[in-house]
């Protein structure tokens, strides 16, 4: 299995832009997915297939991909965006891997 | 409305067994692959196991292969995870998740989880 590496933490002031990276050798060949998890809650998909946004997810959430790195961008961060964020991709053979997780703190 | 309700967690001694259940409603259970994902206290998400919509294909993380068995009963709309030879490092909240609304997602919708504690 392979690893997806994220920064442990990102801090951002309200209204500013938060960028969370996720690096992994298989990312050029596999889509990335992003999950938001708030304390005591189950994860929720905020970005799928690198850059698509599920219905109900605010437009301030966006995703991009370049080579072995994918990026989740939160534009105009709000206090409610404070959470843990995880990237995820599929491995071969029907298995999946999650990134190491990033805690976003809104200052 | 999609609902996933896990049950069966609890305290078990090392080497013991436990069976988790996940009751699904609000969608056609037999049409969807499902996943189990766990989260150790204060740690990140770890994909544990998956099963195809038909139940004919199962998948496991290396960390649980040979000890855990995933299954499903479409007549009961229920997903199971049989966990044997449990270890302290298996202590975690176990989530079941409905897969595939977004392609190769590990879980497009998740239950609230059930806590498994492995300790003597």
């Amino acid at each position: 299995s392979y690893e997806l590496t994220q920064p442990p933490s990102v801090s951002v002031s309200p209204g500013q832009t938060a960028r969370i990276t996720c690096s992994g050798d298989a990312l050029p060949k596999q889509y990335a997915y992003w999950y938001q998890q708030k304390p005591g809650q189950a994860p929720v998909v905020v970005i799928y297939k690198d850059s698509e946004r599920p219905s109900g997810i605010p437009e301030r959430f966006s995703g991009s991909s370049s080579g072995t790195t994918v990026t989740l961008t939160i534009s105009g961060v709000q206090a409610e965006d404070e959470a843990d964020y995880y990237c995820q991709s599929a491995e071969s053979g029907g298995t999946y891997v999650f990134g190491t997780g990033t805690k976003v703190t809104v200052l | 409305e999609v609902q996933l309700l896990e049950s069966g967690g609890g305290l078990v001694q090392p080497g013991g067994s436990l069976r988790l259940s996940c009751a699904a409603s609000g969608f056609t259970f037999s049409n969807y692959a499902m996943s189990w994902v766990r989260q150790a206290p204060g740690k990140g998400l770890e994909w544990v196991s998956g099963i195809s919509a038909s139940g004919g294909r199962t998948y496991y993380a290396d960390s649980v292969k040979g000890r855990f068995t995933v299954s499903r009963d479409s007549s009961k709309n229920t997903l199971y995870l049989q966990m044997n030879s449990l270890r302290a490092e298996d202590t975690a909240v176990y989530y079941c998740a409905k897969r595939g609304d977004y392609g190769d997602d590990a879980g497009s919708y998740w239950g609230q989880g059930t806590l498994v504690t492995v300790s003597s």
Side-chain angles (χ1 to χ4, degrees):
Chain A
S1 63
Y2 74 102
E3 294 182 348
L4 295 175
T5 302
Q6 300 177 232
S9 63
V10 167
S11 297
V12 60
S13 299
Q16 298 303 303
T17 297
R19 293 182 179 85
I20 306 165
T21 58
C22 170
S23 298
D25 289 342
L27 289 176
K29 301 183 291 291
Q30 297 284 356
Y31 282 123
Y33 299 77
W34 288 96
Y35 299 82
Q36 177 194 66
Q37 186 182 32
K38 296 182 178 180
Q41 297 184 20
V44 172
V45 177
V46 294
I47 292 291
Y48 68 96
K49 291 186 178 179
D50 291 347
S51 59
E52 300 296 320
R53 193 173 53 249
S55 61
I57 300 301
E59 291 183 6
R60 63 181 180 273
F61 288 89
S62 63
S64 61
S65 175
S66 179
T68 59
T69 299
V70 294
T71 302
L72 173 68
T73 301
I74 312 173
S75 304
V77 166
Q78 300 184 7
E80 68 202 52
D81 300 330
E82 187 162 285
D84 294 326
Y85 291 84
Y86 297 90
C87 60
Q88 172 254 305
S89 75
E91 296 186 273
S92 60
T95 62
Y96 298 86
V97 61
F98 285 95
T100 49
T102 299
K103 181 176 181 60
V104 170
T105 300
V106 181
L107 301 171
Chain B
E1 179 191 4
V2 173
Q3 291 195 3
L4 297 168
L5 185 60
E6 301 95 337
S7 61
L11 176 63
V12 61
Q13 292 188 339
S17 297
L18 214 52
R19 189 176 84 154
L20 305 184
S21 299
C22 171
S25 61
F27 65 103
T28 305
F29 181 70
S30 58
N31 286 354
Y32 286 87
M34 301 290 290
S35 290
W36 287 100
V37 178
R38 69 184 179 185
Q39 187 169 36
K43 302 297 184 182
L45 301 173
E46 180 188 13
W47 178 84
V48 172
S49 181
I51 187 167
S52 64
S54 67
R57 288 169 291 169
T58 57
Y59 310 93
Y60 300 95
D62 289 342
S63 58
V64 306
K65 200 173 294 182
R67 300 188 298 124
F68 289 12
T69 302
V70 62
S71 61
R72 63 192 297 160
D73 185 339
S74 289
S75 69
K76 297 181 179 179
N77 286 351
T78 302
L79 175 72
Y80 302 100
L81 186 67
Q82 177 68 43
M83 305 186 295
N84 298 330
S85 303
L86 284 162
R87 307 166 179 167
E89 55 265 34
D90 296 318
T91 294
V93 173
Y94 285 73
Y95 295 98
C96 76
K98 168 179 176 275
R99 271 220 50 243
D101 283 341
Y102 304 119
D104 245 341
D105 56 271
S108 43
Y109 191 87
W110 302 52
Q112 287 305 305
T114 187
L115 177 62
V116 171
T117 303
V118 184
S119 175
S120 54

